[in-house]
Amino acid sequence: MKQTYRVSIGLEVHIQLKTQTKLFCGCATSFGAPPNSCVCPVCLGYPGAMPVMNREAVRLTLVSGLMLGCSINTTSTFDRKSYFYPDMPKNYQITQYDKPLCLDGTIDIPLTDGGRKPIRLIRIHLEEDVAKSMHEAGWSGVDFNRAGTPLMEIVTHPDLSSADEAAAFLTALRQILLYVGVSACNLEEGNMRCDVNVSLRPPGQDTLGTKVELKNMNTISGTHDALQYEIERQSAVLDAGGRIVQETRRWDVDNGVTIHMRSKEDAHDYRYFAEPDLLPIVTPPDQIDAWRRSLPELPAVRRERLARQYDIPDYDAAVLAADRALADFFEAVAQRCGTGKTASNWIMTDVLRLVTAHETPVTACALTPDALGELIGLVEAQTINALTAKELLEEVFLSGGSPAEQVRSRGLAQVSDSGALDGWIDAVMQAHPKSVADWKAGKQAAAGFLIGQVMKASQGKADPKRVGRLLGERLAQQNG
Amino acid sequence: MDIGSLTVRAAIDGLRKRQFSSVELTRAVLDAIMARDGVIGAYLWVDEADALKQAAAADAARAGGSDGLLLGVPLAIKDILNVEGQPCTCASKILAGYRAPYDATVIARLREAGAVFAGRTNLDEFAMGSTTENSAIQLTRNPAAPDRVPGGSSGGSAAAVAGGMALAALGTDTGGSIRQPASNCGCVGLKPSYGRVSRYGLVAFASSLDQIGPMTRTVEDASLLLGVMGGRDPRDATTLDRAVPDYAAALGGDLTGLRLGLPKEYFVTGLDPEVARLVQDAVEACRRCGAEIVEVSLPHTEYAVATYYILASAEASTNLARFDGVRYGRRSAVPADTPLDMYLNTRAEGFGREVKRRIILGTYVLSSGYYDAYYTHAQRVRTLIRRDFDEAFKRCDALLTPVSPDPAYLIGATAEDPLKAYLIDIFTVTANLAGICGIAVPCGTTRAGLPVGLQVLAPAFEEGTLLRIGHAYEQAREARP
């Protein structure tokens, strides 16, 4: 009999921190470098080599924890986790076991019904990444460039209850971490990977069902799809009266199925014990307070504030708040031009179009918030028309400079002077008698054509509204 | 130049005064090795051409005006410390063919001071043992009695110095591996405080216990080398940022005003009577030098060996996990279908019995279900042992004890009884557990001519006190007829 089960999902998310160097040595953390070009005795686990803590990685982890509402262990220790694997240089991994840097915390995720749900975190700890095995026909190799890269692991309670929620969690987490700048969160480069625990139980059962672990998910959509598949698979097993066995599975993306990797019986005894080569990490409370004071708003909080403070639609606020740099840009423009709504309109349409077309984020383009505010001011004052403004925007986006200065030096100010406009209108009406006749016959399209011709004659500088009004007056005169 | 008794101090003076060149000095050391090491077996590797090249470079540097403290002084290095370009086998088959790609920090510092690295000395495999019989490569004999072991694990370094084949050597001490062979062979061996000398580049046995130290003919030489080697190292997070005093300059004088403690637990049954007598004589000598002698107690001493073997083996089991044939050293030639098979074959062939015994012991004490019973328990006892010393050092400036319960054993005497072998370190392991410093100074020989050492223990980072006491005693002993 088919029935609905309660789904419990917990995540262990690995985030590569944005440091210049590895966790325990000075080697660069460069993605895509030739194999084994960023290695040294320390990250290769050579005899006699010793780890030295990268304090920046500690700071980034603690700042992440503060951002996620965690409590901070002012004294935190590192442990060795032992297991043999070809891509583990020392055959133990330096990680954190009983005294991680951060404990607890929550991430609010948006639900499809518009509500929000808090997902509780268990801990955040810091550990070193392993190397990467490469298998070719007839040989295998190991690239140790990645070995020793700092990873922050975020572990949740099994509070998620669907594949959608898991995807929403990862999206929200990614947004927050991008906000606080601790990771590039680049999925293609493996900056963000996760292991997923999922269990099903019949409604009314208090204890969690038998959990299955899905290893090494490296995209949000993959995590979603694997979970969707796994929930259906487990439901079918339970519907058929079967039992779920505790095991580790992996997602076969090509075939869209999860596959058995190992069973509970193969589980390792990791033999954790305190890493004797590293001293405990002691972070003074005043340092933690200083970091806490300098935290940015959470994206969700900012979204609500933007909508309220600038009176812009929720949708706009969500788009703007999703990217900290974009939101900063928006707020600066709004302050410069005095109107959030207009600033939002410009950014949501024209600026984002340029961002996409030129693959240049607002942080990297030549357009400053001041320049955009100035441009908006020029339009509002009807110094330039919308057409000129859009052309100017692209120029400034690519090359920078002041729009007002451009308007002055290039004579782009729109012409509203009746004398000049009359001249162009006369010329156009003489050149296009048929259109004038159509227009008189009531064809609105002809009016548009004639206005366009005047705009062309004026090289875009004519005030199109005024041109329309003058044309109307002419018609009235001729009819009269 | 009598290389068999030349001190580092005399060599420095001779080189500075141009009485001999580094090439001549190094040549003399190499000749001594050629002449004597066939019997003793102290060295695992000597590259004459390379040593002489280093010496020539030192001579050239001196001619060019350089004047590093150790410029041109040849040293012997325990084959567990990385010297760039030289083999580093740890006396194990598993590191056959490995050449160190970098200098250990102590080596870099000695090199900076101008030292010449003349050869690599034998040890118990991965420093695990107390007789140097656990070397997978060769037997080292005690220069004082060639039918006996030199002690271990720095037995090669001790034999090289005591046997007139090195002016000084580096050893490592995890549970007594510098002091015990120094005592057995009749030379000075200094184990610095934990955190005084960088371990970067020392192939780790037990990271929380290991220290590198000098093995020399005199206390003054030990102080000279420690002065060069010591100090914080950004590559070793466990080194402390404490000033390195000029140890050698602070030597001299008597022991007036110092109070020296005799821990009663160290003078009990099981101690060889001749060892007891020689150590008592040494205590009396210190008293004559002006020291006040008091009895103190270190009540947790009886648990030290068990604690040591649990903690050291636990750390060793993970430290030695990296020897897997994947990146360096020897890989088993037996075809393997899986990485696991390759590891098993490589490690089965590459490690000797004692190393395997300790890896298994360490793996066991860390495994779930046994962790609290052994590892956690041992950590607690370690704290108690530390407190014992804290208490004792409230009553005295340093402690005087035997180094070892017995003089050097006959070769093979402990081979079939690992537990008996573990007890050899009973008086030395506590210093490693507590992180304090200790020195072994020769205090005479038994009627059979076997050297015996006096151990002086001082609080962490009180090497100055330790060396002052050792030096004063050494002078008093020399002065006696």
Side-chain angles (χ1 to χ4, degrees):
Chain A
M1 186 199 74
K2 258 183 150 11
Q3 62 167 321
T4 310
Y5 298 95
R6 289 171 64 193
V7 179
S8 298
I9 299 165
L11 301 179
E12 292 169 15
V13 191
H14 291 91
I15 307 287
Q16 180 181 328
L17 293 169
K18 208 155 73 179
T19 55
Q20 297 293 307
T21 54
K22 294 185 181 181
L23 188 52
F24 300 125
C25 64
C27 290
T29 55
S30 56
F31 175 79
N36 297 311
S37 61
C38 302
V39 295
C40 73
V42 175
C43 56
L44 285 171
Y46 262 57
M50 295 176 68
V52 179
M53 183 60 64
N54 181 338
R55 300 300 298 220
E56 177 65 1
V58 172
R59 186 185 73 82
L60 295 177
T61 305
L62 291 174
V63 165
S64 303
L66 291 170
M67 194 74 178
L68 300 175
C70 299
S71 60
I72 304 299
N73 263 330
T74 49
T75 300
S76 180
T77 54
F78 285 79
D79 300 273
R80 291 183 180 178
K81 177 182 180 179
S82 289
Y83 58 100
F84 279 83
Y85 213 72
D87 58 15
M88 283 254 293
K90 301 182 289 292
N91 289 317
Y92 61 82
Q93 181 186 26
I94 302 177
T95 179
Q96 298 196 277
Y97 185 58
D98 57 349
K99 282 188 195 139
L101 285 162
C102 314
L103 290 168
D104 303 323
T106 47
I107 296 178
D108 268 0
I109 59 163
L111 299 177
T112 40
D113 67 3
R116 303 193 71 79
K117 176 178 174 181
I119 305 301
R120 294 169 303 151
L121 308 181
I122 296 174
R123 56 188 276 149
I124 304 179
H125 69 249
L126 186 56
E127 65 184 29
E128 57 178 335
D129 203 351
V130 297
K132 192 176 160 191
S133 299
M134 296 182 299
H135 304 285
E136 301 288 335
W139 62 272
S140 291
V142 190
D143 177 6
F144 289 93
N145 281 354
R146 206 173 70 190
T149 300
L151 291 183
M152 172 171 76
E153 181 171 335
I154 299 174
V155 185
T156 77
H157 283 281
D159 288 352
L160 297 154
S161 46
S162 69
D164 285 346
E165 286 187 15
F169 176 88
L170 291 171
T171 305
L173 173 63
R174 180 168 185 269
Q175 206 173 78
I176 292 168
L177 296 178
L178 283 171
Y179 235 69
V180 74
V182 299
S183 171
C185 287
N186 192 327
L187 301 168
E188 289 72 36
E189 297 184 5
N191 288 172
M192 193 172 170
R193 313 193 289 269
C194 71
D195 300 338
V196 183
N197 286 306
V198 54
S199 66
L200 271 58
R201 57 181 156 155
Q205 180 184 316
D206 287 340
T207 53
L208 293 175
T210 305
K211 73 176 179 189
V212 168
E213 184 182 33
L214 305 175
K215 270 276 182 206
N216 279 330
M217 308 303 309
N218 54 16
T219 63
I220 295 176
S221 63
T223 306
H224 177 273
D225 295 349
L227 269 169
Q228 198 70 44
Y229 173 88
E230 188 57 23
I231 291 165
E232 283 167 21
R233 185 189 71 84
Q234 292 188 30
S235 295
V237 170
L238 293 172
D239 284 343
R243 283 181 50 217
I244 303 298
V245 288
Q246 187 170 334
E247 62 178 329
T248 299
R249 299 174 75 87
R250 66 176 183 83
W251 176 236
D252 176 349
V253 67
D254 296 329
N255 299 305
V257 294
T258 62
I259 298 169
H260 173 84
M261 270 174 79
R262 59 175 182 257
S263 61
K264 187 194 176 188
E265 285 68 37
D266 307 331
H268 286 99
D269 178 356
Y270 291 118
R271 304 195 306 282
Y272 287 100
F273 81 106
E275 167 56 78
D277 285 334
L278 291 171
L279 302 181
I281 299 290
V282 178
T283 316
D286 56 346
Q287 175 65 77
I288 294 170
D289 288 342
W291 285 332
R292 187 180 277 121
R293 282 194 299 275
S294 64
L295 291 178
E297 268 174 305
L298 280 168
V301 173
R302 192 168 200 182
R303 180 174 58 234
E304 281 165 25
R305 180 175 63 79
L306 292 185
R308 200 177 56 244
Q309 182 179 339
Y310 297 98
D311 192 25
I312 57 176
D314 287 344
Y315 175 80
D316 291 17
V319 172
L320 294 171
D323 177 341
R324 185 179 172 189
L326 189 65
D328 288 346
F329 187 83
F330 161 72
E331 292 208 67
V333 175
Q335 262 141 38
R336 173 70 171 75
C337 71
T339 151
K341 218 159 186 170
T342 314
S344 170
N345 286 341
W346 275 87
I347 293 170
M348 292 288 293
T349 54
D350 299 289
V351 174
L352 285 183
R353 194 187 63 241
L354 292 171
V355 162
T356 309
H358 297 287
E359 294 177 7
T360 308
V362 287
T363 43
C365 73
L367 178 70
T368 63
D370 266 359
L372 180 55
E374 193 175 283
L375 184 74
I376 293 170
L378 291 170
V379 176
E380 301 259 290
Q382 301 189 352
T383 309
I384 54 174
N385 60 45
L387 188 70
T388 306
K390 280 175 208 262
E391 286 173 9
L392 204 48
L393 177 65
E394 181 153 17
E395 286 178 32
V396 178
F397 184 89
L398 294 173
S399 314
S402 151
E405 183 53 41
Q406 295 276 337
V407 167
R408 258 196 308 281
S409 65
R410 287 159 58 188
L412 299 176
Q414 81 185 339
V415 179
S416 307
D417 164 53
S418 308
L421 294 178
D422 284 346
W424 287 320
I425 289 169
D426 287 344
V428 165
M429 287 179 74
Q430 275 170 26
H432 302 284
K434 179 159 184 330
S435 294
V436 173
D438 287 348
W439 178 35
K440 283 180 179 168
K443 289 189 182 166
Q444 281 305 309
F449 173 78
L450 289 169
I451 294 170
Q453 290 302 308
V454 174
M455 293 305 294
K456 195 175 169 188
S458 74
Q459 293 173 309
K461 288 189 283 188
D463 175 350
K465 280 188 199 136
R466 197 167 165 80
V467 170
R469 202 162 61 242
L470 286 172
L471 271 167
E473 284 168 12
R474 270 306 171 79
L475 186 67
Q477 282 166 14
Q478 287 190 359
N479 284 347
Chain B
M1 165 171 54
D2 174 13
I3 205 73
S5 61
L6 189 71
T7 62
V8 172
R9 167 55 78 198
I12 292 169
D13 292 345
L15 287 162
R16 283 193 175 154
K17 290 179 190 152
R18 315 283 166 115
Q19 287 165 346
F20 44 79
S21 68
S22 175
V23 168
E24 288 165 339
L25 178 61
T26 304
R27 183 72 259 168
V29 168
L30 295 170
D31 289 345
I33 296 170
M34 283 290 282
R36 299 172 206 163
D37 206 37
V39 175
I40 302 300
Y43 283 89
L44 290 180
W45 180 90
V46 177
D47 182 336
E48 291 208 352
D50 179 65
L52 291 170
K53 198 171 127 196
Q54 293 178 59
D59 286 334
R62 189 178 296 282
S66 306
D67 191 26
L69 179 65
L70 299 174
L71 187 57
V73 177
L75 298 176
I77 306 297
K78 186 177 181 178
D79 196 16
I80 195 170
L81 287 158
N82 282 275
V83 176
E84 188 179 342
Q86 296 191 359
C88 183
T89 68
C90 301
S92 179
K93 287 189 277 187
I94 209 159
L95 274 169
Y98 171 72
R99 292 232 175 196
Y102 70 101
D103 275 344
T105 297
V106 289
I107 298 298
R109 288 184 178 174
L110 292 167
R111 199 190 284 284
E112 180 70 24
V116 168
F117 302 104
R120 306 193 57 83
T121 54
N122 198 20
L123 65 152
D124 285 303
E125 185 176 357
F126 285 104
M128 295 177 182
S130 307
T131 61
T132 310
E133 289 167 294
N134 294 324
S135 168
I137 300 177
Q138 73 190 29
L139 185 69
T140 298
R141 295 175 182 277
N142 191 319
D147 57 340
R148 292 183 180 258
V149 300
S153 65
S154 307
S157 288
V161 174
M165 296 178 285
L167 313 185
L170 293 194
T172 66
D173 190 315
T174 308
S177 288
I178 286 174
R179 291 160 286 160
Q180 189 260 29
S183 172
N184 273 0
C185 292
C187 61
V188 172
L190 171 65
K191 183 204 94 76
S193 313
Y194 192 75
R196 170 83 292 178
V197 174
S198 169
R199 292 180 291 116
Y200 185 79
L202 159 63
V203 182
F205 161 13
S207 310
S208 76
L209 301 160
D210 294 342
Q211 272 294 294
I212 304 165
M215 306 183 75
T216 54
R217 299 215 164 96
T218 65
V219 174
E220 184 189 16
D221 283 2
S223 59
L224 286 169
L225 290 180
L226 182 65
V228 174
M229 292 157 61
R232 192 183 121 67
D233 175 15
R235 291 177 186 274
D236 176 354
T238 64
T239 54
L240 294 192
D241 196 6
R242 299 268 198 100
V244 182
D246 187 342
Y247 295 113
L251 298 179
D254 59 18
L255 300 179
T256 305
L258 283 183
R259 189 184 274 188
L260 305 180
L262 301 183
K264 62 181 183 190
E265 291 81 4
Y266 284 57
F267 294 91
V268 287
T269 50
L271 187 60
D272 177 277
E274 284 197 277
V275 171
R277 179 180 56 79
L278 289 166
V279 172
Q280 277 303 338
D281 289 351
V283 170
E284 288 311 312
C286 289
R287 198 196 300 272
R288 283 194 301 278
C289 289
E292 183 189 346
I293 307 294
V294 295
E295 187 178 87
V296 295
S297 175
L298 299 168
H300 296 92
T301 300
E302 64 175 304
Y303 307 111
V305 171
T307 302
Y308 169 80
Y309 276 94
I310 289 171
L311 298 178
S313 304
E315 293 182 18
S317 71
T318 63
N319 280 329
L320 269 57
R322 71 190 62 200
F323 302 103
D324 59 7
V326 172
R327 283 141 296 143
Y328 45 76
R330 170 194 160 126
R331 181 185 296 186
S332 169
V334 176
D337 289 335
T338 66
L340 179 63
D341 287 340
M342 193 279 281
Y343 295 156
L344 293 175
N345 294 337
T346 295
R347 289 165 69 84
E349 293 171 18
F351 287 136
R353 277 180 67 186
E354 183 60 26
V355 172
K356 285 177 189 166
R357 184 181 289 131
R358 298 200 194 192
I359 290 172
I360 291 166
L361 179 61
T363 303
Y364 180 80
V365 301
L366 286 176
S367 59
S368 66
Y370 299 98
Y371 184 90
D372 284 335
Y374 294 105
Y375 186 77
T376 309
H377 213 83
Q379 286 287 30
R380 288 209 198 98
V381 179
R382 182 178 191 170
T383 304
L384 296 176
I385 288 168
R386 273 200 194 116
R387 282 190 201 145
D388 279 359
F389 280 105
D390 290 344
E391 287 303 310
F393 287 131
K394 283 179 188 165
R395 299 196 51 221
C396 58
D397 300 291
L399 303 173
L400 300 180
T401 83
V403 175
S404 186
D406 297 293
Y409 293 105
L410 287 166
I411 289 165
T414 60
E416 293 311 312
D417 188 352
L419 287 180
K420 185 183 174 194
Y422 290 176
L423 288 172
I424 297 173
D425 296 332
I426 190 162
F427 298 138
T428 49
V429 293
T430 50
N432 301 78
L433 290 167
I436 62 174
C437 53
I439 193 169
V441 184
C443 66
T445 53
T446 64
R447 282 184 292 276
L450 302 175
V452 171
L454 167 73
Q455 176 170 243
V456 190
L457 300 173
F461 290 87
E462 293 297 331
E463 280 84 358
T465 305
L466 198 70
L467 291 161
R468 182 184 154 201
I469 295 165
H471 183 70
Y473 166 68
E474 189 180 53
Q475 301 303 307
R477 190 197 66 211
E478 299 280 314
R480 282 169 64 91

